[in-house]
Amino acid sequence: MRPWGSTINDNAAADAAALAAEAGARSGVFRQLGTLLRALFASSVGRSLKYLMASLLVVIIGTSFGQIVLNRWNKPFYDALSRRDLREFLVQLGVFFMIAAVLLVLNVFQRWVVESLKIKLREGVVRDLVGHWMLPRRAFWLSTAGPMGVNPDQRMTEDAQKMCDLSTDLGAGLLQASILFISFSGILWGISADFSIRIGGIDYAVPGFMVWAAILYAGTGSLLSYWVGRSLIARNADRYSREGELRFALVRINEHLDGISLAAGEADEKRRVERHLGDVMAAMRRLVRGWTNLTWVTAGFGWTTLVAPILIAAPLYLTGKISFGGMMMAAAAFTQAQQALRWFVDNFGTIAEWRATLLRVAGFREALTANAEIVRYASRITYTDGASGSMRIDGLEVESAPGRDRLDQANVVVKAGERVLILGSAGTGKTLLFRALAGLWPWGVGEITRPMDEAILYMPRGTPYLPSGTLRDVLAYPMAADRFAQNTCEHALKRLGLERLVPLLDAELRWDRELSHEDQMCLAFSRVLLQSPSWLVMDEALSMLEDESLERVIDVLTHELSATSIIHIGKAAETGNRLFSQVLHLVKAAPEVPHPVLGSDRP
């Protein structure tokens, strides 16, 4: 039940937003990250995120300083070994354990910060997505917006979690790699500042050649990794999409086990699941081929890294410019610098996976927040707020693919306490009329003026929605259960023939499975009695009741809810004229006749 007063955006806008988001998601990673970070920093977890990020920066700087100290330790340690100086060797060994102890503490603290950051990031992202998704009518429109509206649960859970985990790991790794490179490039520059190459009897100075060698080595690997592994982004995105379709098929089967079993449809459902599984396996095989090709680059550079530092530092040692310990220190510094630079090579596969999840999450969020305006049909219904106590329907025609449907009366006024029955002719869209009255289907012409600040409860066609929770929560939905006294809840159940459920008011069960369809319908009308809305709009809800239950509902609507205005779209045989004071008919609207073209000789 909700009051009227929200702005109507159309389904086509959601569809357009989805398409725009899909295209926009591919346009730039920095724009996507900027949008998400601005939303996160403005959320309830923003302050915690800032503190954790600052802590991560401090601990990474501290770790980098410790690694510089450890790198400098290499020279006296290996020099002591080369001199066979046992005393100095033991002293340096003690220094090593002190450095290692400090680095161990820093590493443990960094792990705690990283894992805490993952948790806060996920909390912020999921809260943001759910907040936009649960805006009035937003989820409904997005569900019909094509691929972007498929599997929103996966985008908000698995995709969001993976994106947050990978973002944190990659972000921490990139920050650490950047600080390490800046730190160790200074060491490498100092060691090779006066290096020169002799060619044809002439010495050519190459100051800081070890820095340039590290940049060239890592840059080559990064370019090769990007060239070979760039297809992994699309392959990962396709895999997540196929996984979502498989999971949705399994969930759908689980929700409809009774119908499948009664129809002996297990074999058919098995074929459907196997088809989706085949799509997942095909996507996985494409992904495996991409990973295999990328491994040629990453593994190749990994093996050459074993000897590359020594080969780069060897000219300094062979020319006598550094000692053996100095060469080991230079080799260790080169290893740290080039590992920082080849971060892209080592993580390209993970980056591709992260990029795929970011594309899905950012695209989904953009579809939720976009305000694209594309008209699905030629015109839209106008919704306005009017005075309390009446609802006006003027010139309403509901448009859909088969054509337009209209009420047989052009101007309808439903006053407080009146009961109106709308009968639908064959081929008319009664459910679309119901959705148009609720604001879910705004395509057509005419104007609907609804009472301002008066609660309207909608009962759609079919089995009513029973949320998870206690029976008391189901009765009060979407209001808070503590708004209603115990005796009021009991009376609502007893009045609709559900007195046996009174002891279960505080039981938390799957009520949509525990109760029969008839009991669920009676429970829905118990909710109406409990909440006593000013207006009740139903789509064939009375048609779903058996004779005894129908009599109870009519009695409740006639006596205890006599002040509630009712609009029911259904059949006359359900209640005759006992409940309704006005009967309208939904009929097919005459097709529009095109205006003749001036000067044309056609009739």
Side-chain angles (χ1 to χ4, degrees):
M1 181 167 57
R2 54 178 177 266
W4 179 254
S6 61
T7 302
I8 300 298
N9 299 309
D10 60 46
N11 198 345
D15 192 27
L19 296 176
E22 198 69 44
R26 301 176 186 274
S27 62
V29 62
F30 295 109
R31 183 184 61 80
Q32 297 166 30
L33 280 177
T35 301
L36 285 176
L37 287 176
R38 283 192 297 271
L40 287 173
F41 288 144
S43 69
S44 60
V45 301
R47 179 174 295 183
S48 299
L49 288 176
K50 293 175 182 177
Y51 288 150
L52 288 171
M53 288 179 177
S55 300
L56 183 61
L57 177 61
V58 171
V59 74
I60 287 178
I61 291 175
T63 302
S64 300
F65 178 76
Q67 289 176 310
I68 292 174
V69 174
L70 182 61
N71 177 261
R72 291 175 179 172
W73 167 86
N74 280 280
K75 186 179 184 301
F77 178 75
Y78 284 106
D79 283 343
L81 277 178
S82 64
R83 297 193 307 267
R84 296 181 176 83
D85 187 341
L86 178 61
R87 181 178 178 279
E88 183 65 17
F89 170 79
L90 293 176
V91 169
Q92 293 301 321
L93 200 59
V95 172
F96 168 79
F97 284 118
M98 286 190 293
I99 298 173
V102 174
L103 286 174
L104 175 62
V105 173
L106 289 173
N107 288 338
V108 172
F109 182 64
Q110 180 175 334
R111 174 50 56 189
W112 178 85
V113 172
V114 167
E115 296 302 322
S116 299
L117 188 56
K118 289 179 181 178
I119 294 173
K120 282 297 178 182
L121 274 176
R122 185 185 182 192
E123 178 184 355
V125 169
V126 174
R127 284 182 182 273
D128 178 71
L129 293 177
V130 172
H132 287 293
W133 189 53
M134 284 289 99
L135 288 174
R137 301 171 176 84
R138 189 67 56 86
F140 174 81
W141 282 323
L142 191 64
S143 67
T144 61
M148 189 56 65
V150 176
N151 309 125
D153 55 319
Q154 183 184 22
R155 294 178 187 263
M156 290 185 285
T157 53
E158 293 181 15
D159 291 343
Q161 178 184 4
K162 188 173 287 294
M163 186 200 71
C164 293
D165 291 350
L166 295 178
S167 297
T168 305
D169 289 334
L170 290 173
L174 179 59
L175 178 62
Q176 191 161 20
S178 302
I179 294 175
L180 281 176
F181 174 71
I182 294 172
S183 303
F184 283 97
S185 61
I187 297 174
L188 290 177
W189 190 279
I191 294 173
S192 59
D194 59 348
F195 181 79
S196 60
I197 299 177
R198 191 174 185 83
I199 301 176
I202 302 175
D203 291 332
Y204 295 93
V206 187
F209 94 100
M210 291 192 72
V211 177
W212 305 120
I215 293 174
L216 180 63
Y217 181 81
T220 303
S222 298
L223 289 175
L224 283 174
S225 296
Y226 175 75
W227 180 67
V228 173
R230 57 186 174 180
S231 64
L232 285 174
I233 297 175
R235 296 183 186 190
N236 270 299
D238 182 58
R239 169 208 168 185
Y240 292 134
S241 177
R242 302 301 182 185
E243 292 275 10
E245 291 171 2
L246 173 61
R247 189 180 66 175
F248 179 76
L250 294 174
V251 170
R252 184 175 175 83
I253 290 173
N254 188 57
E255 293 292 331
H256 298 277
L257 289 175
D258 51 349
I260 293 171
S261 299
L262 292 172
E266 288 87 353
D268 184 63
E269 296 299 331
K270 178 184 177 184
R271 285 193 295 271
R272 296 174 191 271
V273 171
E274 288 177 344
R275 185 178 71 250
H276 288 299
L277 180 61
D279 292 339
V280 171
M281 294 299 102
M284 291 294 293
R285 284 191 291 270
R286 290 191 293 270
L287 195 59
V288 167
R289 287 195 295 271
W291 276 102
T292 303
N293 294 333
L294 183 61
T295 304
W296 284 103
V297 177
T298 56
F301 271 81
W303 287 111
T304 56
T305 300
L306 295 175
V307 296
I310 300 297
L311 294 176
I312 298 297
L316 293 172
Y317 176 70
L318 295 176
T319 55
K321 295 182 178 181
I322 57 175
S323 64
F324 178 74
M327 183 184 72
M328 298 305 295
M329 184 182 74
F334 180 86
T335 300
Q336 291 283 5
Q338 69 86 25
Q339 281 183 348
L341 285 170
R342 68 190 295 271
W343 174 88
F344 188 77
V345 178
D346 294 333
N347 293 280
F348 188 83
T350 306
I351 292 172
E353 188 175 4
W354 166 78
R355 186 70 182 88
T357 58
L358 177 64
L359 185 148
R360 287 175 60 81
V361 174
F364 181 69
R365 187 183 188 279
E366 188 162 344
L368 289 173
T369 58
N371 291 316
E373 287 291 339
I374 294 181
V375 180
R376 182 171 180 176
Y377 294 105
S379 58
R380 277 175 285 181
I381 301 167
T382 301
Y383 294 87
T384 57
D385 294 329
S388 300
S390 67
M391 179 185 297
R392 290 186 58 89
I393 305 173
D394 297 310
L396 179 64
E397 293 186 9
V398 181
E399 187 169 5
S400 61
R404 286 187 176 185
D405 303 323
R406 65 175 179 83
L407 294 176
D408 58 349
Q409 296 185 27
N411 304 106
V412 177
V413 178
V414 183
K415 296 183 179 180
E418 289 188 344
R419 279 83 191 280
V420 177
L421 173 65
I422 300 178
L423 302 175
S425 303
T428 55
K430 295 184 289 293
T431 296
L432 289 184
L433 173 63
F434 172 79
R435 290 178 176 177
L437 294 176
L440 293 179
W441 188 268
W443 296 291
V445 297
E447 182 177 1
I448 298 177
T449 305
R450 301 177 55 178
M452 183 183 299
D453 300 328
E454 289 190 355
I456 302 177
L457 195 150
Y458 297 96
M459 294 187 67
R461 183 178 183 179
T463 304
Y465 172 66
L466 304 182
S468 59
T470 65
L471 186 60
R472 194 185 304 272
D473 294 329
V474 174
L475 273 175
Y477 181 81
M479 302 179 184
D482 55 12
R483 291 185 55 177
F484 303 100
Q486 173 76 15
N487 61 336
T488 308
C489 295
E490 293 179 2
H491 174 73
L493 291 175
K494 293 177 181 178
R495 195 67 176 82
L496 273 300
L498 299 176
E499 47 276 311
R500 70 184 185 283
L501 298 182
V502 169
L504 301 176
L505 267 171
D506 293 311
E508 188 168 347
L509 301 172
R510 279 291 303 270
W511 297 107
D512 56 334
R513 293 188 175 182
E514 295 292 333
L515 301 179
S516 66
H517 180 269
E518 185 75 5
D519 285 344
Q520 292 183 49
M521 291 300 303
C522 290
L523 185 59
F525 280 100
S526 295
R527 179 190 297 166
V528 176
L529 175 59
L530 181 69
Q531 299 182 12
S532 299
S534 300
W535 295 80
L536 175 62
V537 182
M538 297 180 284
D539 181 14
E540 294 195 0
L542 300 178
S543 307
M544 312 300 294
L545 296 169
E546 299 294 338
D547 292 342
E548 185 177 352
S549 299
L550 180 60
E551 291 299 324
R552 289 197 187 96
V553 170
I554 293 176
D555 187 58
V556 168
L557 295 176
T558 302
H559 296 93
E560 294 174 79
L561 294 177
S562 58
T564 299
S565 307
I566 297 176
I567 298 178
H568 183 264
I569 305 170
K571 302 174 183 178
E574 293 161 359
T575 61
N577 295 320
R578 291 179 294 162
L579 185 62
F580 302 106
S581 57
Q582 185 178 3
V583 178
L584 303 175
H585 293 83
L586 182 66
V587 297
K588 300 299 293 185
E592 294 184 359
V593 179
H595 296 290
V597 179
L598 188 63
S600 173
D601 58 356
R602 295 181 182 180

